[in-house]
Amino acid sequence: MSQAGATTALDKTTDTPVSAGGSGRFWSPRRVPAGIVAVLLLAGAGLLLYDVAAVRAHHPAMSWRRELARQLAERHLDDTWVLAGAALAAALGLWLIALALTPGLRALLPMRRPHPDVRAALRRDAAAQVLRDRAVEVSGVQAVRVRMRRRKAHVRAASHFRELADVRADLDTTLTQAIRGLGLTHPPRLALRVRRAAPKG
């Protein structure tokens, strides 16, 4: 694992409950969506408060609020623009709910906890690099492509000599040990494909 050099560790984290013996999923702070929503709400509330205060001071309401009130009074619920606005508001609400209920940071694979006060994770690209480096050490392997997912590690190898069955058996043993050595909380399943390398020229 030393050649990857991409392990992320966080000390003394208590904000997210984790299962015994393993790090839980790392949650994204969601600063950008939260900031956008806060700015929009603040701007809308400030504009509406200013207009209400102006009306209370015997000034005419802003044209946009008069037009909005007229449109809401004249349009029926089955109007196309009303339905489109409702669909947009519902989509934005579902998006915010999904952001609030999902952890994010899918590029981080949680690792087993060596100590109760320590949480660690391994980046997917680093884990894929470890598997690739181990795979190319197998005799007969010419090229390897690794795609790491949360639940499965997809490995495609090309062999330029030796029997494909022998290369596959060696790769299966080597990569299974490599996945176990990553120290992940939920080790991914290995999906291995071995083919004959295309002749050069």
Side-chain angles (χ1 to χ4, degrees):
M1 193 183 302
S2 59
Q3 62 267 40
T7 304
T8 302
L10 301 178
D11 294 335
K12 297 184 181 302
T13 56
T14 58
D15 54 339
T16 304
V18 296
S19 57
S23 299
R25 291 284 303 279
F26 284 75
W27 284 71
S28 172
R30 315 285 194 190
R31 293 188 180 92
V32 174
I36 292 175
V37 173
V39 169
L40 291 178
L41 289 178
L42 181 62
L47 187 62
L48 184 60
L49 181 62
Y50 172 81
D51 192 43
V52 171
V55 172
R56 293 291 185 180
H58 306 290
H59 292 286
M62 291 184 179
S63 59
W64 65 268
R65 195 157 73 95
R66 295 197 304 269
E67 178 64 20
L68 179 61
R70 186 183 68 81
Q71 292 287 345
L72 291 176
E74 294 179 354
R75 291 185 181 273
H76 298 286
L77 293 179
D78 58 352
D79 185 83
T80 303
W81 287 105
V82 174
L83 295 177
L88 178 61
L92 290 176
L94 291 175
W95 177 61
L96 293 175
I97 291 175
L99 290 180
L101 297 180
T102 55
L105 297 181
R106 298 178 62 85
L108 296 180
L109 300 174
M111 302 179 68
R112 291 192 296 269
R113 304 181 70 164
H115 190 275
D117 292 335
V118 177
R119 296 179 64 208
L122 185 65
R123 292 188 59 86
R124 285 191 191 182
D125 53 358
Q129 183 64 41
V130 170
L131 298 186
R132 183 185 179 280
D133 291 345
R134 293 293 302 274
V136 296
E137 296 175 356
V138 175
S139 177
V141 174
Q142 184 182 42
V144 180
R145 292 179 58 186
V146 180
R147 188 176 58 179
M148 181 66 69
R149 297 286 186 248
R150 286 182 55 214
R151 302 298 183 186
K152 187 177 293 187
H154 299 268
V155 180
R156 294 185 177 184
S159 175
H160 58 299
F161 70 92
R162 294 183 67 197
E163 293 294 331
L164 293 183
D166 296 338
V167 176
R168 178 182 175 82
D170 290 347
L171 279 173
D172 186 77
T173 301
T174 299
L175 294 177
T176 300
Q177 294 176 354
I179 291 175
R180 189 181 302 115
L182 293 176
L184 301 178
T185 303
H186 303 287
R189 301 191 310 273
L190 176 63
L192 176 62
R193 291 184 59 185
V194 182
R195 61 176 177 84
R196 183 66 66 190
K200 296 183 178 180

PDB file of all heavy atoms in Angstrom, residues 26-48:
ATOM      1  N   PHE A  26     -17.665   8.427   5.047  1.00  0.00           N
ATOM      2  CA  PHE A  26     -17.311   9.807   5.320  1.00  0.00           C
ATOM      3  C   PHE A  26     -18.354  10.723   4.684  1.00  0.00           C
ATOM      4  O   PHE A  26     -18.676  10.583   3.502  1.00  0.00           O
ATOM      5  CB  PHE A  26     -15.917  10.120   4.764  1.00  0.00           C
ATOM      6  CG  PHE A  26     -14.804   9.566   5.591  1.00  0.00           C
ATOM      7  CD1 PHE A  26     -14.502   8.214   5.560  1.00  0.00           C
ATOM      8  CD2 PHE A  26     -14.056  10.382   6.430  1.00  0.00           C
ATOM      9  CE1 PHE A  26     -13.476   7.690   6.331  1.00  0.00           C
ATOM     10  CE2 PHE A  26     -13.032   9.869   7.197  1.00  0.00           C
ATOM     11  CZ  PHE A  26     -12.745   8.516   7.149  1.00  0.00           C
ATOM     12  N   TRP A  27     -18.863  11.678   5.465  1.00  0.00           N
ATOM     13  CA  TRP A  27     -19.921  12.565   4.992  1.00  0.00           C
ATOM     14  C   TRP A  27     -19.328  13.850   4.443  1.00  0.00           C
ATOM     15  O   TRP A  27     -18.444  14.457   5.042  1.00  0.00           O
ATOM     16  CB  TRP A  27     -20.891  12.897   6.126  1.00  0.00           C
ATOM     17  CG  TRP A  27     -21.826  11.772   6.432  1.00  0.00           C
ATOM     18  CD1 TRP A  27     -21.506  10.588   7.032  1.00  0.00           C
ATOM     19  CD2 TRP A  27     -23.220  11.714   6.130  1.00  0.00           C
ATOM     20  NE1 TRP A  27     -22.620   9.797   7.124  1.00  0.00           N
ATOM     21  CE2 TRP A  27     -23.686  10.450   6.588  1.00  0.00           C
ATOM     22  CE3 TRP A  27     -24.115  12.585   5.533  1.00  0.00           C
ATOM     23  CZ2 TRP A  27     -25.006  10.070   6.457  1.00  0.00           C
ATOM     24  CZ3 TRP A  27     -25.431  12.204   5.407  1.00  0.00           C
ATOM     25  CH2 TRP A  27     -25.861  10.962   5.866  1.00  0.00           C
ATOM     26  N   SER A  28     -19.835  14.256   3.296  1.00  0.00           N
ATOM     27  CA  SER A  28     -19.403  15.511   2.693  1.00  0.00           C
ATOM     28  C   SER A  28     -20.015  16.684   3.445  1.00  0.00           C
ATOM     29  O   SER A  28     -21.190  16.640   3.836  1.00  0.00           O
ATOM     30  CB  SER A  28     -19.827  15.553   1.222  1.00  0.00           C
ATOM     31  OG  SER A  28     -19.585  16.838   0.677  1.00  0.00           O
ATOM     32  N   PRO A  29     -19.271  17.775   3.659  1.00  0.00           N
ATOM     33  CA  PRO A  29     -19.843  18.935   4.358  1.00  0.00           C
ATOM     34  C   PRO A  29     -20.907  19.671   3.540  1.00  0.00           C
ATOM     35  O   PRO A  29     -21.668  20.452   4.091  1.00  0.00           O
ATOM     36  CB  PRO A  29     -18.627  19.827   4.610  1.00  0.00           C
ATOM     37  CG  PRO A  29     -17.630  19.417   3.602  1.00  0.00           C
ATOM     38  CD  PRO A  29     -17.828  17.956   3.372  1.00  0.00           C
ATOM     39  N   ARG A  30     -20.954  19.460   2.215  1.00  0.00           N
ATOM     40  CA  ARG A  30     -21.959  20.095   1.342  1.00  0.00           C
ATOM     41  C   ARG A  30     -21.948  21.611   1.485  1.00  0.00           C
ATOM     42  O   ARG A  30     -22.984  22.262   1.565  1.00  0.00           O
ATOM     43  CB  ARG A  30     -23.361  19.589   1.661  1.00  0.00           C
ATOM     44  CG  ARG A  30     -23.507  18.099   1.838  1.00  0.00           C
ATOM     45  CD  ARG A  30     -23.451  17.362   0.528  1.00  0.00           C
ATOM     46  NE  ARG A  30     -23.930  15.989   0.692  1.00  0.00           N
ATOM     47  CZ  ARG A  30     -23.825  15.053  -0.216  1.00  0.00           C
ATOM     48  NH1 ARG A  30     -23.245  15.322  -1.363  1.00  0.00           N
ATOM     49  NH2 ARG A  30     -24.264  13.839   0.007  1.00  0.00           N
ATOM     50  N   ARG A  31     -20.784  22.220   1.516  1.00  0.00           N
ATOM     51  CA  ARG A  31     -20.709  23.663   1.740  1.00  0.00           C
ATOM     52  C   ARG A  31     -21.286  24.457   0.571  1.00  0.00           C
ATOM     53  O   ARG A  31     -21.953  25.474   0.777  1.00  0.00           O
ATOM     54  CB  ARG A  31     -19.248  24.072   1.978  1.00  0.00           C
ATOM     55  CG  ARG A  31     -18.656  23.539   3.271  1.00  0.00           C
ATOM     56  CD  ARG A  31     -17.282  24.138   3.537  1.00  0.00           C
ATOM     57  NE  ARG A  31     -16.704  23.631   4.764  1.00  0.00           N
ATOM     58  CZ  ARG A  31     -15.919  22.574   4.835  1.00  0.00           C
ATOM     59  NH1 ARG A  31     -15.609  21.918   3.736  1.00  0.00           N
ATOM     60  NH2 ARG A  31     -15.417  22.165   6.000  1.00  0.00           N
ATOM     61  N   VAL A  32     -21.024  24.030  -0.654  1.00  0.00           N
ATOM     62  CA  VAL A  32     -21.495  24.790  -1.820  1.00  0.00           C
ATOM     63  C   VAL A  32     -23.019  24.785  -1.925  1.00  0.00           C
ATOM     64  O   VAL A  32     -23.637  25.859  -2.021  1.00  0.00           O
ATOM     65  CB  VAL A  32     -20.838  24.249  -3.109  1.00  0.00           C
ATOM     66  CG1 VAL A  32     -21.431  24.929  -4.333  1.00  0.00           C
ATOM     67  CG2 VAL A  32     -19.328  24.465  -3.071  1.00  0.00           C
ATOM     68  N   PRO A  33     -23.700  23.621  -1.898  1.00  0.00           N
ATOM     69  CA  PRO A  33     -25.174  23.671  -1.934  1.00  0.00           C
ATOM     70  C   PRO A  33     -25.777  24.429  -0.755  1.00  0.00           C
ATOM     71  O   PRO A  33     -26.743  25.185  -0.929  1.00  0.00           O
ATOM     72  CB  PRO A  33     -25.575  22.189  -1.913  1.00  0.00           C
ATOM     73  CG  PRO A  33     -24.381  21.454  -2.407  1.00  0.00           C
ATOM     74  CD  PRO A  33     -23.210  22.229  -1.930  1.00  0.00           C
ATOM     75  N   ALA A  34     -25.214  24.204   0.436  1.00  0.00           N
ATOM     76  CA  ALA A  34     -25.747  24.906   1.605  1.00  0.00           C
ATOM     77  C   ALA A  34     -25.549  26.414   1.474  1.00  0.00           C
ATOM     78  O   ALA A  34     -26.434  27.202   1.824  1.00  0.00           O
ATOM     79  CB  ALA A  34     -25.063  24.399   2.876  1.00  0.00           C
ATOM     80  N   GLY A  35     -24.395  26.835   0.948  1.00  0.00           N
ATOM     81  CA  GLY A  35     -24.149  28.262   0.762  1.00  0.00           C
ATOM     82  C   GLY A  35     -25.077  28.879  -0.269  1.00  0.00           C
ATOM     83  O   GLY A  35     -25.583  29.996  -0.077  1.00  0.00           O
ATOM     84  N   ILE A  36     -25.322  28.149  -1.375  1.00  0.00           N
ATOM     85  CA  ILE A  36     -26.223  28.666  -2.414  1.00  0.00           C
ATOM     86  C   ILE A  36     -27.632  28.833  -1.863  1.00  0.00           C
ATOM     87  O   ILE A  36     -28.288  29.864  -2.071  1.00  0.00           O
ATOM     88  CB  ILE A  36     -26.217  27.732  -3.630  1.00  0.00           C
ATOM     89  CG1 ILE A  36     -24.845  27.780  -4.316  1.00  0.00           C
ATOM     90  CG2 ILE A  36     -27.313  28.117  -4.617  1.00  0.00           C
ATOM     91  CD1 ILE A  36     -24.701  26.798  -5.459  1.00  0.00           C
ATOM     92  N   VAL A  37     -28.119  27.798  -1.157  1.00  0.00           N
ATOM     93  CA  VAL A  37     -29.467  27.891  -0.583  1.00  0.00           C
ATOM     94  C   VAL A  37     -29.560  29.025   0.429  1.00  0.00           C
ATOM     95  O   VAL A  37     -30.542  29.780   0.451  1.00  0.00           O
ATOM     96  CB  VAL A  37     -29.851  26.544   0.070  1.00  0.00           C
ATOM     97  CG1 VAL A  37     -31.165  26.671   0.828  1.00  0.00           C
ATOM     98  CG2 VAL A  37     -29.971  25.453  -0.989  1.00  0.00           C
ATOM     99  N   ALA A  38     -28.543  29.177   1.269  1.00  0.00           N
ATOM    100  CA  ALA A  38     -28.570  30.243   2.273  1.00  0.00           C
ATOM    101  C   ALA A  38     -28.574  31.623   1.629  1.00  0.00           C
ATOM    102  O   ALA A  38     -29.324  32.517   2.050  1.00  0.00           O
ATOM    103  CB  ALA A  38     -27.367  30.096   3.202  1.00  0.00           C
ATOM    104  N   VAL A  39     -27.768  31.818   0.582  1.00  0.00           N
ATOM    105  CA  VAL A  39     -27.717  33.119  -0.090  1.00  0.00           C
ATOM    106  C   VAL A  39     -29.048  33.432  -0.766  1.00  0.00           C
ATOM    107  O   VAL A  39     -29.564  34.556  -0.680  1.00  0.00           O
ATOM    108  CB  VAL A  39     -26.561  33.143  -1.111  1.00  0.00           C
ATOM    109  CG1 VAL A  39     -26.654  34.368  -2.013  1.00  0.00           C
ATOM    110  CG2 VAL A  39     -25.223  33.134  -0.391  1.00  0.00           C
ATOM    111  N   LEU A  40     -29.629  32.422  -1.451  1.00  0.00           N
ATOM    112  CA  LEU A  40     -30.909  32.652  -2.119  1.00  0.00           C
ATOM    113  C   LEU A  40     -32.025  32.969  -1.117  1.00  0.00           C
ATOM    114  O   LEU A  40     -32.835  33.884  -1.346  1.00  0.00           O
ATOM    115  CB  LEU A  40     -31.283  31.427  -2.959  1.00  0.00           C
ATOM    116  CG  LEU A  40     -30.400  31.168  -4.190  1.00  0.00           C
ATOM    117  CD1 LEU A  40     -30.841  29.897  -4.898  1.00  0.00           C
ATOM    118  CD2 LEU A  40     -30.442  32.352  -5.140  1.00  0.00           C
ATOM    119  N   LEU A  41     -32.070  32.225  -0.021  1.00  0.00           N
ATOM    120  CA  LEU A  41     -33.093  32.491   0.995  1.00  0.00           C
ATOM    121  C   LEU A  41     -32.900  33.860   1.630  1.00  0.00           C
ATOM    122  O   LEU A  41     -33.875  34.584   1.872  1.00  0.00           O
ATOM    123  CB  LEU A  41     -33.059  31.395   2.065  1.00  0.00           C
ATOM    124  CG  LEU A  41     -33.561  30.011   1.643  1.00  0.00           C
ATOM    125  CD1 LEU A  41     -33.420  29.029   2.791  1.00  0.00           C
ATOM    126  CD2 LEU A  41     -35.023  30.093   1.194  1.00  0.00           C
ATOM    127  N   LEU A  42     -31.651  34.221   1.896  1.00  0.00           N
ATOM    128  CA  LEU A  42     -31.378  35.523   2.504  1.00  0.00           C
ATOM    129  C   LEU A  42     -31.769  36.657   1.556  1.00  0.00           C
ATOM    130  O   LEU A  42     -32.388  37.651   1.973  1.00  0.00           O
ATOM    131  CB  LEU A  42     -29.900  35.623   2.874  1.00  0.00           C
ATOM    132  CG  LEU A  42     -29.453  36.925   3.553  1.00  0.00           C
ATOM    133  CD1 LEU A  42     -30.182  37.092   4.887  1.00  0.00           C
ATOM    134  CD2 LEU A  42     -27.943  36.922   3.776  1.00  0.00           C
ATOM    135  N   ALA A  43     -31.428  36.510   0.265  1.00  0.00           N
ATOM    136  CA  ALA A  43     -31.766  37.554  -0.695  1.00  0.00           C
ATOM    137  C   ALA A  43     -33.278  37.675  -0.869  1.00  0.00           C
ATOM    138  O   ALA A  43     -33.830  38.782  -0.902  1.00  0.00           O
ATOM    139  CB  ALA A  43     -31.098  37.246  -2.040  1.00  0.00           C
ATOM    140  N   GLY A  44     -33.965  36.515  -0.993  1.00  0.00           N
ATOM    141  CA  GLY A  44     -35.413  36.566  -1.144  1.00  0.00           C
ATOM    142  C   GLY A  44     -36.114  37.139   0.065  1.00  0.00           C
ATOM    143  O   GLY A  44     -37.032  37.965  -0.061  1.00  0.00           O
ATOM    144  N   ALA A  45     -35.681  36.703   1.265  1.00  0.00           N
ATOM    145  CA  ALA A  45     -36.299  37.215   2.494  1.00  0.00           C
ATOM    146  C   ALA A  45     -36.026  38.711   2.662  1.00  0.00           C
ATOM    147  O   ALA A  45     -36.918  39.471   3.068  1.00  0.00           O
ATOM    148  CB  ALA A  45     -35.776  36.440   3.696  1.00  0.00           C
ATOM    149  N   GLY A  46     -34.813  39.140   2.341  1.00  0.00           N
ATOM    150  CA  GLY A  46     -34.490  40.567   2.462  1.00  0.00           C
ATOM    151  C   GLY A  46     -35.288  41.423   1.501  1.00  0.00           C
ATOM    152  O   GLY A  46     -35.789  42.500   1.875  1.00  0.00           O
ATOM    153  N   LEU A  47     -35.429  40.945   0.248  1.00  0.00           N
ATOM    154  CA  LEU A  47     -36.201  41.702  -0.728  1.00  0.00           C
ATOM    155  C   LEU A  47     -37.672  41.786  -0.337  1.00  0.00           C
ATOM    156  O   LEU A  47     -38.308  42.848  -0.433  1.00  0.00           O
ATOM    157  CB  LEU A  47     -36.051  41.060  -2.106  1.00  0.00           C
ATOM    158  CG  LEU A  47     -36.668  41.809  -3.286  1.00  0.00           C
ATOM    159  CD1 LEU A  47     -36.016  43.167  -3.450  1.00  0.00           C
ATOM    160  CD2 LEU A  47     -36.518  40.984  -4.554  1.00  0.00           C
ATOM    161  N   LEU A  48     -38.230  40.670   0.129  1.00  0.00           N
ATOM    162  CA  LEU A  48     -39.631  40.663   0.537  1.00  0.00           C
ATOM    163  C   LEU A  48     -39.849  41.544   1.762  1.00  0.00           C
ATOM    164  O   LEU A  48     -40.849  42.285   1.852  1.00  0.00           O
ATOM    165  CB  LEU A  48     -40.072  39.229   0.835  1.00  0.00           C
ATOM    166  CG  LEU A  48     -41.550  39.038   1.196  1.00  0.00           C
ATOM    167  CD1 LEU A  48     -42.449  39.500   0.054  1.00  0.00           C
ATOM    168  CD2 LEU A  48     -41.817  37.563   1.536  1.00  0.00           C
TER     169      LEU A  48
END
